[in-house]
Amino acid sequence: MHFMANPNIFSKIMEALIPWVIVIFVFSGTLGLIFALFISPPDYQQGDSVRIMYVHVPSAWMALFSYLMIALGSLSFLIWRHPVGSLIAKASAPVGAIFTILCLVTGMIWGKPMWGTYWVWDARLTSMLILLFLFIGYMLIGNAFENQNHGNKVASIFALAGSINLPIIKFSVDWWNTLHQPSIFSMKGISVSNEMLTPLFLMAICFQSYYLLILFMNIKKQIAIIKINNHIILSISKKEK
Amino acid sequence: MFLFELLKNEIKISSLNRGDSLFVAIFFLVTISLFPLGVGPDTITLSRIAPGIIWIMALLTSIVSLDRLLSDDLDDGTTEMLVSSNIDYTIIALTKIITHWLTTGLPVILMAPLLGLALQMQGSSIGTLIISLFCGTPTLSLIGTFGSALTLNAKHRGILIPLLVLPLNIPILIFGSSCVTLDNINFDPNGSFLVMIGILLIAITLCPLAISILLKMSIEK
């Protein structure tokens, strides 16, 4: 993985991947929505409102995945001083926060007809809300310092401290008695029929490629900002000579 | 041992400006006495929500003094002096954590029985509350000092510290107040105690390390 630590090489890989990511995003999104809204059957208990799962579950997965990327990027930035690690971590935060909000909102819309309430304070929902706070805290602390490099390091340390929340979210449905459904994938096997698994799988690919697309665009923006700043500094120092 | 020397010094300083620890105690007392006025003086309601109130206020009290905990010494050069006389960053971090607990955690624990009685709690659940505070407040100090170290030299510290520290402290709040709630309905609260001690052990191993790294970064910057 270390060869990717050079921002120039990473940019080239990114440029090569972006068209493919767009193709996968559009293709899996269209196919996934067709399957989710028309082909897959309604649930025997929940009826048509089960279809909100095809947005809710992938966005929850991606929220966790985004935070995992922040933690891993921060770790590689702190240990090996990889600049790309910090870039990935910073670019994952806003998109991760959006996924978390999407997950919470779709869950609330589904919860009203199914549970009879928009919100319950059970372990899964609460830990997801904490994840949202962690995303917001991470974004704010990174920008709170005059020295950007110092801010990146501090934010990385905070991200690692917050990563303790990830296993809590993942296993909250197993450790506590919650109103939230247990995980679809567990040691006992898959608890959803194939007709519902196909759209879920397609939507997961769609969300993953959307994440990658936003991540790449965000990193490109950050690299451009760094280049512009360097250029300004360079031109000022030339003038002074 | 440098630790005890430093600690003695810190306690001397905080006893000189007694206003700070007095402020913490008064904050705790006044805010808690607001709850019966807001919720209503109904005995059953009060005794049911009392552990939660005391735990929430213990959490908030631990945050009040955080923004000056590390930055005062950093700004007037004390930390730099200590470091240049070969005292380890971890020792400095530990001193600050212990001082924070002595000035906020301990007063809260001492005042809790009285406030518990005022909020109509039963004798046995007050005992459970005290034990849970003993297991939980050191973790609040550890994580709080960590949050204080994160925001050294940052802009808008006043908003950042609660935003960073409160989410990390939520588990303590949940297990702390659940101890008393479990005890009230005659369940064994030992599980919650053990979880809190577990969290405390993790925090003791990781927080001083993280704080020392952050202190080092803000001095060498």
Short mmCIF file of all heavy atoms in Angstrom, two decimals, chain B residues 28 32 50-59 101 104-113 115-116 121 125-141 172-173 175-177 179-180 193 196 200:
data_model
loop_
_atom_site.label_atom_id
_atom_site.label_comp_id
_atom_site.label_asym_id
_atom_site.label_seq_id
_atom_site.Cartn_x
_atom_site.Cartn_y
_atom_site.Cartn_z
N PHE B 28 -22.57 22.57 40.59
CA PHE B 28 -23.23 21.27 40.78
C PHE B 28 -24.48 21.42 41.65
O PHE B 28 -25.57 20.93 41.31
CB PHE B 28 -22.22 20.32 41.43
CG PHE B 28 -22.67 18.89 41.51
CD1 PHE B 28 -22.94 18.17 40.37
CD2 PHE B 28 -22.80 18.27 42.74
CE1 PHE B 28 -23.34 16.86 40.44
CE2 PHE B 28 -23.19 16.95 42.82
CZ PHE B 28 -23.46 16.25 41.66
N ILE B 32 -28.44 21.29 40.12
CA ILE B 32 -29.29 20.16 40.53
C ILE B 32 -30.53 20.66 41.24
O ILE B 32 -31.63 20.11 41.06
CB ILE B 32 -28.48 19.20 41.42
CG1 ILE B 32 -27.58 18.36 40.53
CG2 ILE B 32 -29.39 18.30 42.23
CD1 ILE B 32 -26.98 17.19 41.17
N ALA B 50 -33.71 10.87 39.78
CA ALA B 50 -32.58 11.44 40.53
C ALA B 50 -31.21 10.93 40.09
O ALA B 50 -30.30 11.74 39.87
CB ALA B 50 -32.79 11.21 42.03
N PRO B 51 -31.01 9.57 39.94
CA PRO B 51 -29.66 9.14 39.54
C PRO B 51 -29.24 9.72 38.20
O PRO B 51 -28.08 10.13 38.03
CB PRO B 51 -29.77 7.61 39.47
CG PRO B 51 -31.20 7.29 39.58
CD PRO B 51 -31.89 8.43 40.23
N GLY B 52 -30.19 9.78 37.26
CA GLY B 52 -29.88 10.36 35.95
C GLY B 52 -29.46 11.81 36.07
O GLY B 52 -28.48 12.24 35.47
N ILE B 53 -30.22 12.58 36.89
CA ILE B 53 -29.91 14.00 37.07
C ILE B 53 -28.50 14.16 37.63
O ILE B 53 -27.68 14.93 37.11
CB ILE B 53 -30.91 14.67 38.04
CG1 ILE B 53 -32.30 14.73 37.42
CG2 ILE B 53 -30.45 16.06 38.42
CD1 ILE B 53 -33.35 15.24 38.38
N ILE B 54 -28.22 13.40 38.71
CA ILE B 54 -26.91 13.55 39.35
C ILE B 54 -25.79 13.15 38.39
O ILE B 54 -24.75 13.81 38.31
CB ILE B 54 -26.86 12.73 40.66
CG1 ILE B 54 -27.82 13.37 41.67
CG2 ILE B 54 -25.45 12.68 41.22
CD1 ILE B 54 -27.89 12.68 42.99
N TRP B 55 -26.02 12.09 37.60
CA TRP B 55 -24.98 11.67 36.66
C TRP B 55 -24.76 12.69 35.55
O TRP B 55 -23.62 13.00 35.19
CB TRP B 55 -25.30 10.29 36.08
CG TRP B 55 -24.47 9.25 36.75
CD1 TRP B 55 -24.89 8.34 37.67
CD2 TRP B 55 -23.07 9.04 36.58
NE1 TRP B 55 -23.83 7.59 38.09
CE2 TRP B 55 -22.70 7.99 37.43
CE3 TRP B 55 -22.09 9.64 35.80
CZ2 TRP B 55 -21.40 7.53 37.52
CZ3 TRP B 55 -20.79 9.18 35.89
CH2 TRP B 55 -20.46 8.14 36.75
N ILE B 56 -25.86 13.22 35.00
CA ILE B 56 -25.72 14.23 33.94
C ILE B 56 -24.97 15.44 34.47
O ILE B 56 -24.06 15.98 33.82
CB ILE B 56 -27.10 14.65 33.40
CG1 ILE B 56 -27.73 13.51 32.62
CG2 ILE B 56 -26.98 15.87 32.49
CD1 ILE B 56 -29.15 13.77 32.22
N MET B 57 -25.33 15.86 35.70
CA MET B 57 -24.68 17.05 36.23
C MET B 57 -23.22 16.78 36.58
O MET B 57 -22.38 17.66 36.45
CB MET B 57 -25.43 17.60 37.45
CG MET B 57 -26.78 18.22 37.13
SD MET B 57 -26.89 19.03 35.54
CE MET B 57 -25.70 20.32 35.74
N ALA B 58 -22.90 15.54 37.01
CA ALA B 58 -21.50 15.18 37.25
C ALA B 58 -20.71 15.30 35.95
O ALA B 58 -19.58 15.81 35.92
CB ALA B 58 -21.40 13.77 37.81
N LEU B 59 -21.34 14.85 34.83
CA LEU B 59 -20.72 14.92 33.51
C LEU B 59 -20.46 16.37 33.12
O LEU B 59 -19.36 16.74 32.69
CB LEU B 59 -21.66 14.27 32.50
CG LEU B 59 -21.07 13.79 31.20
CD1 LEU B 59 -20.34 12.50 31.47
CD2 LEU B 59 -22.16 13.54 30.19
N TRP B 101 -9.51 15.41 38.90
CA TRP B 101 -10.43 14.56 39.64
C TRP B 101 -10.62 15.08 41.07
O TRP B 101 -11.74 15.10 41.59
CB TRP B 101 -9.94 13.11 39.67
CG TRP B 101 -10.94 12.20 40.32
CD1 TRP B 101 -12.09 11.74 39.77
CD2 TRP B 101 -10.90 11.69 41.65
NE1 TRP B 101 -12.77 10.97 40.68
CE2 TRP B 101 -12.06 10.92 41.84
CE3 TRP B 101 -9.99 11.80 42.71
CZ2 TRP B 101 -12.34 10.26 43.02
CZ3 TRP B 101 -10.28 11.15 43.89
CH2 TRP B 101 -11.44 10.39 44.04
N THR B 104 -12.86 18.28 40.80
CA THR B 104 -14.24 18.17 40.32
C THR B 104 -14.90 16.84 40.70
O THR B 104 -16.05 16.83 41.14
CB THR B 104 -14.34 18.34 38.80
OG1 THR B 104 -13.59 17.30 38.18
CG2 THR B 104 -13.81 19.66 38.35
N GLY B 105 -14.18 15.72 40.52
CA GLY B 105 -14.79 14.42 40.80
C GLY B 105 -15.11 14.24 42.28
O GLY B 105 -16.22 13.86 42.66
N LEU B 106 -14.13 14.55 43.11
CA LEU B 106 -14.29 14.33 44.55
C LEU B 106 -15.38 15.20 45.17
O LEU B 106 -16.23 14.67 45.91
CB LEU B 106 -12.93 14.56 45.24
CG LEU B 106 -12.78 13.93 46.63
CD1 LEU B 106 -12.98 12.43 46.54
CD2 LEU B 106 -11.40 14.25 47.20
N PRO B 107 -15.42 16.51 44.88
CA PRO B 107 -16.53 17.31 45.43
C PRO B 107 -17.89 16.77 45.02
O PRO B 107 -18.82 16.74 45.85
CB PRO B 107 -16.30 18.70 44.82
CG PRO B 107 -14.88 18.75 44.49
CD PRO B 107 -14.47 17.36 44.16
N VAL B 108 -17.99 16.31 43.76
CA VAL B 108 -19.27 15.76 43.29
C VAL B 108 -19.65 14.54 44.11
O VAL B 108 -20.80 14.40 44.56
CB VAL B 108 -19.17 15.42 41.78
CG1 VAL B 108 -20.28 14.48 41.37
CG2 VAL B 108 -19.22 16.68 40.96
N ILE B 109 -18.67 13.65 44.35
CA ILE B 109 -18.96 12.44 45.12
C ILE B 109 -19.36 12.80 46.54
O ILE B 109 -20.29 12.22 47.12
CB ILE B 109 -17.73 11.50 45.13
CG1 ILE B 109 -17.46 10.98 43.73
CG2 ILE B 109 -17.95 10.32 46.07
CD1 ILE B 109 -16.21 10.19 43.60
N LEU B 110 -18.66 13.80 47.13
CA LEU B 110 -18.97 14.18 48.51
C LEU B 110 -20.36 14.79 48.63
O LEU B 110 -21.05 14.60 49.64
CB LEU B 110 -17.91 15.16 49.02
CG LEU B 110 -16.52 14.56 49.21
CD1 LEU B 110 -15.54 15.64 49.64
CD2 LEU B 110 -16.55 13.44 50.24
N MET B 111 -20.77 15.53 47.60
CA MET B 111 -22.06 16.20 47.69
C MET B 111 -23.22 15.31 47.26
O MET B 111 -24.38 15.61 47.56
CB MET B 111 -22.05 17.46 46.82
CG MET B 111 -21.22 18.58 47.42
SD MET B 111 -20.79 19.76 46.17
CE MET B 111 -22.35 20.52 45.92
N ALA B 112 -22.91 14.21 46.53
CA ALA B 112 -23.97 13.38 45.97
C ALA B 112 -24.95 12.81 47.01
O ALA B 112 -26.15 12.83 46.76
CB ALA B 112 -23.37 12.26 45.12
N PRO B 113 -24.47 12.30 48.18
CA PRO B 113 -25.44 11.73 49.13
C PRO B 113 -26.48 12.74 49.59
O PRO B 113 -27.68 12.45 49.62
CB PRO B 113 -24.56 11.30 50.32
CG PRO B 113 -23.19 11.33 49.87
CD PRO B 113 -23.09 12.15 48.64
N LEU B 115 -27.44 15.50 48.01
CA LEU B 115 -28.36 15.85 46.92
C LEU B 115 -29.29 14.69 46.61
O LEU B 115 -30.45 14.89 46.26
CB LEU B 115 -27.55 16.23 45.69
CG LEU B 115 -26.85 17.57 45.85
CD1 LEU B 115 -25.81 17.77 44.77
CD2 LEU B 115 -27.87 18.70 45.81
N GLY B 116 -28.76 13.44 46.76
CA GLY B 116 -29.61 12.27 46.57
C GLY B 116 -30.78 12.28 47.55
O GLY B 116 -31.93 12.02 47.17
N MET B 121 -34.11 10.12 47.02
CA MET B 121 -33.61 8.77 46.74
C MET B 121 -33.60 7.95 48.02
O MET B 121 -33.48 8.48 49.12
CB MET B 121 -32.20 8.83 46.16
CG MET B 121 -32.16 9.17 44.70
SD MET B 121 -30.49 9.40 44.13
CE MET B 121 -29.89 7.73 44.11
N SER B 125 -30.03 2.95 47.39
CA SER B 125 -29.66 3.37 46.02
C SER B 125 -28.67 4.53 46.07
O SER B 125 -27.88 4.70 45.13
CB SER B 125 -30.89 3.75 45.20
OG SER B 125 -31.79 4.50 45.93
N ILE B 126 -28.66 5.30 47.19
CA ILE B 126 -27.62 6.33 47.32
C ILE B 126 -26.25 5.66 47.41
O ILE B 126 -25.28 6.10 46.78
CB ILE B 126 -27.87 7.21 48.55
CG1 ILE B 126 -29.08 8.11 48.29
CG2 ILE B 126 -26.66 8.09 48.85
CD1 ILE B 126 -29.39 9.07 49.40
N GLY B 127 -26.17 4.54 48.16
CA GLY B 127 -24.92 3.79 48.25
C GLY B 127 -24.44 3.35 46.89
O GLY B 127 -23.27 3.54 46.52
N THR B 128 -25.38 2.77 46.09
CA THR B 128 -25.02 2.35 44.74
C THR B 128 -24.55 3.52 43.90
O THR B 128 -23.58 3.43 43.14
CB THR B 128 -26.23 1.69 44.05
OG1 THR B 128 -26.91 0.89 45.00
CG2 THR B 128 -25.81 0.86 42.89
N LEU B 129 -25.25 4.65 44.05
CA LEU B 129 -24.88 5.85 43.29
C LEU B 129 -23.45 6.27 43.60
O LEU B 129 -22.66 6.59 42.69
CB LEU B 129 -25.85 6.99 43.62
CG LEU B 129 -25.55 8.34 42.96
CD1 LEU B 129 -25.85 8.26 41.48
CD2 LEU B 129 -26.35 9.45 43.61
N ILE B 130 -23.09 6.24 44.92
CA ILE B 130 -21.74 6.66 45.31
C ILE B 130 -20.69 5.74 44.70
O ILE B 130 -19.69 6.20 44.14
CB ILE B 130 -21.60 6.67 46.85
CG1 ILE B 130 -22.62 7.62 47.46
CG2 ILE B 130 -20.20 7.09 47.25
CD1 ILE B 130 -22.50 9.02 47.00
N ILE B 131 -20.96 4.41 44.76
CA ILE B 131 -19.98 3.48 44.18
C ILE B 131 -19.86 3.73 42.68
O ILE B 131 -18.76 3.75 42.11
CB ILE B 131 -20.40 2.01 44.43
CG1 ILE B 131 -20.53 1.77 45.93
CG2 ILE B 131 -19.38 1.06 43.85
CD1 ILE B 131 -21.10 0.42 46.27
N SER B 132 -21.01 3.94 42.01
CA SER B 132 -20.95 4.16 40.56
C SER B 132 -20.18 5.45 40.25
O SER B 132 -19.43 5.49 39.27
CB SER B 132 -22.36 4.21 39.96
OG SER B 132 -23.01 5.40 40.30
N LEU B 133 -20.35 6.48 41.09
CA LEU B 133 -19.60 7.72 40.86
C LEU B 133 -18.11 7.48 41.06
O LEU B 133 -17.28 8.03 40.31
CB LEU B 133 -20.08 8.82 41.81
CG LEU B 133 -21.40 9.51 41.44
CD1 LEU B 133 -21.86 10.41 42.57
CD2 LEU B 133 -21.27 10.30 40.17
N PHE B 134 -17.76 6.65 42.05
CA PHE B 134 -16.35 6.34 42.28
C PHE B 134 -15.75 5.63 41.09
O PHE B 134 -14.59 5.86 40.73
CB PHE B 134 -16.19 5.49 43.55
CG PHE B 134 -15.72 6.29 44.73
CD1 PHE B 134 -16.56 6.51 45.81
CD2 PHE B 134 -14.45 6.84 44.76
CE1 PHE B 134 -16.15 7.26 46.89
CE2 PHE B 134 -14.03 7.60 45.83
CZ PHE B 134 -14.89 7.81 46.90
N CYS B 135 -16.53 4.72 40.47
CA CYS B 135 -16.00 4.01 39.29
C CYS B 135 -15.97 4.90 38.06
O CYS B 135 -15.14 4.70 37.17
CB CYS B 135 -16.85 2.79 38.96
SG CYS B 135 -17.03 1.62 40.28
N GLY B 136 -16.88 5.87 37.98
CA GLY B 136 -17.05 6.61 36.73
C GLY B 136 -16.33 7.92 36.65
O GLY B 136 -15.78 8.26 35.59
N THR B 137 -16.29 8.70 37.77
CA THR B 137 -15.72 10.04 37.65
C THR B 137 -14.23 10.07 37.28
O THR B 137 -13.82 10.99 36.58
CB THR B 137 -15.94 10.86 38.95
OG1 THR B 137 -15.62 10.05 40.06
CG2 THR B 137 -17.37 11.33 39.04
N PRO B 138 -13.39 9.07 37.69
CA PRO B 138 -12.01 9.11 37.19
C PRO B 138 -11.94 9.05 35.67
O PRO B 138 -11.13 9.74 35.04
CB PRO B 138 -11.37 7.87 37.82
CG PRO B 138 -12.18 7.59 39.02
CD PRO B 138 -13.57 8.00 38.69
N THR B 139 -12.84 8.24 35.06
CA THR B 139 -12.85 8.18 33.60
C THR B 139 -13.25 9.52 33.00
O THR B 139 -12.70 9.95 31.98
CB THR B 139 -13.83 7.09 33.12
OG1 THR B 139 -13.70 5.96 33.95
CG2 THR B 139 -13.57 6.72 31.70
N LEU B 140 -14.22 10.20 33.65
CA LEU B 140 -14.61 11.53 33.17
C LEU B 140 -13.40 12.46 33.18
O LEU B 140 -13.21 13.25 32.25
CB LEU B 140 -15.73 12.12 34.04
CG LEU B 140 -17.06 11.38 34.09
CD1 LEU B 140 -18.06 12.18 34.90
CD2 LEU B 140 -17.58 11.15 32.69
N SER B 141 -12.59 12.38 34.26
CA SER B 141 -11.40 13.25 34.33
C SER B 141 -10.39 12.89 33.25
O SER B 141 -9.80 13.77 32.63
CB SER B 141 -10.74 13.13 35.70
OG SER B 141 -11.57 13.67 36.68
N ILE B 172 -20.17 6.22 29.90
CA ILE B 172 -20.07 6.33 31.36
C ILE B 172 -21.43 6.73 31.94
O ILE B 172 -21.90 6.17 32.93
CB ILE B 172 -19.03 7.38 31.76
CG1 ILE B 172 -17.70 7.08 31.10
CG2 ILE B 172 -18.86 7.46 33.27
CD1 ILE B 172 -17.08 5.84 31.62
N LEU B 173 -22.06 7.71 31.28
CA LEU B 173 -23.38 8.16 31.73
C LEU B 173 -24.38 7.02 31.72
O LEU B 173 -25.11 6.80 32.69
CB LEU B 173 -23.85 9.31 30.83
CG LEU B 173 -25.26 9.81 31.08
CD1 LEU B 173 -25.31 10.57 32.38
CD2 LEU B 173 -25.71 10.69 29.94
N PHE B 175 -23.91 3.64 31.72
CA PHE B 175 -23.69 2.59 32.70
C PHE B 175 -23.79 3.11 34.13
O PHE B 175 -24.27 2.41 35.02
CB PHE B 175 -22.34 1.91 32.46
CG PHE B 175 -22.32 1.07 31.24
CD1 PHE B 175 -21.63 1.46 30.11
CD2 PHE B 175 -23.06 -0.10 31.19
CE1 PHE B 175 -21.65 0.70 28.97
CE2 PHE B 175 -23.09 -0.87 30.05
CZ PHE B 175 -22.38 -0.47 28.93
N GLY B 176 -23.36 4.36 34.34
CA GLY B 176 -23.42 4.93 35.67
C GLY B 176 -24.84 5.03 36.19
O GLY B 176 -25.15 4.57 37.29
N SER B 177 -25.73 5.60 35.36
CA SER B 177 -27.10 5.75 35.87
C SER B 177 -27.84 4.43 35.83
O SER B 177 -28.76 4.20 36.63
CB SER B 177 -27.84 6.82 35.09
OG SER B 177 -27.80 6.53 33.73
N CYS B 179 -26.65 1.59 36.75
CA CYS B 179 -26.34 0.90 38.01
C CYS B 179 -27.47 1.13 39.01
O CYS B 179 -28.01 0.18 39.59
CB CYS B 179 -25.08 1.47 38.65
SG CYS B 179 -23.56 0.94 37.93
N VAL B 180 -27.81 2.40 39.22
CA VAL B 180 -28.78 2.75 40.24
C VAL B 180 -30.18 2.28 39.82
O VAL B 180 -30.95 1.77 40.63
CB VAL B 180 -28.77 4.27 40.49
CG1 VAL B 180 -29.56 4.60 41.73
CG2 VAL B 180 -27.35 4.77 40.61
N PHE B 193 -21.14 -2.08 36.98
CA PHE B 193 -19.92 -1.66 37.68
C PHE B 193 -18.69 -2.18 36.95
O PHE B 193 -17.73 -1.43 36.72
CB PHE B 193 -19.89 -2.22 39.10
CG PHE B 193 -20.78 -1.48 40.06
CD1 PHE B 193 -21.55 -2.16 40.97
CD2 PHE B 193 -20.84 -0.10 40.04
CE1 PHE B 193 -22.37 -1.49 41.84
CE2 PHE B 193 -21.65 0.59 40.90
CZ PHE B 193 -22.42 -0.11 41.81
N MET B 196 -17.94 -0.35 33.83
CA MET B 196 -17.34 0.96 34.09
C MET B 196 -15.89 0.85 34.50
O MET B 196 -15.05 1.65 34.08
CB MET B 196 -18.14 1.68 35.19
CG MET B 196 -19.40 2.30 34.67
SD MET B 196 -20.45 2.79 36.00
CE MET B 196 -19.68 4.29 36.47
N LEU B 200 -12.66 2.32 32.62
CA LEU B 200 -11.66 3.09 33.37
C LEU B 200 -10.25 2.56 33.08
O LEU B 200 -9.31 3.34 32.85
CB LEU B 200 -11.97 3.01 34.87
CG LEU B 200 -10.96 3.65 35.82
CD1 LEU B 200 -10.86 5.13 35.54
CD2 LEU B 200 -11.35 3.42 37.26
#
